[in-house]
Amino acid sequence: MRVPFGLDEHGNAVWADQIPYDRNGFKCGLVCPDPNCGKRLKAVRWSKDDPERGIHYLAHEANSRCAVESNPESLLHLEAKAVLKGLIGHDFYHV
């Protein structure tokens, strides 16, 4: 499954279309947003010959067993939390 966003070294969400074209592959420096995974992600380009199209999506290394890849609802939940964190400026915590 394609992952639409990853986390940078500060825990901030970075969406695929925000990644510079020359930071493809593992050079993007992002990790999986699933707190049970946290493995590095690679940025996949739309086209190797068309830098205007930029980065298409993020993906795990081959043979990953991350729950985000098998559970779209989990990915949607993580994405919603990332959007809200960006709006209010802090993480959510379990009470």
Side-chain angles (χ1 to χ4, degrees), residues 57-77:
Y57 62 90
L58 297 164
H60 284 85
E61 294 183 69
N63 301 318
S64 170
R65 295 183 184 264
C66 178
V68 165
E69 293 188 344
S70 61
N71 186 352
E73 183 177 346
S74 176
L75 179 60
L76 182 60
H77 179 221

Side-chain angles (χ1 to χ4, degrees), residues 12-90:
N12 298 315
V14 178
W15 273 258
D17 63 355
Q18 297 173 315
I19 301 167
Y21 181 77
D22 63 344
R23 303 276 305 190
N24 66 305
F26 293 112
K27 293 183 286 188
C28 68
L30 302 177
V31 297
C32 179
D34 184 339
N36 296 316
C37 177
K39 293 188 178 175
R40 62 189 190 143
L41 297 171
K42 62 181 177 181
V44 180
R45 296 175 177 168
W46 275 95
S47 167
K48 293 179 182 175
D49 301 323
D50 187 2
E52 295 298 316
R53 299 223 40 206
I55 302 297
H56 183 45
Y57 62 90
L58 297 164
H60 284 85
E61 294 183 69
N63 301 318
S64 170
R65 295 183 184 264
C66 178
V68 165
E69 293 188 344
S70 61
N71 186 352
E73 183 177 346
S74 176
L75 179 60
L76 182 60
H77 179 221
L78 292 169
E79 190 168 1
K81 286 175 64 175
V83 168
L84 291 171
K85 177 184 176 186
L87 291 174
I88 64 171
H90 63 79

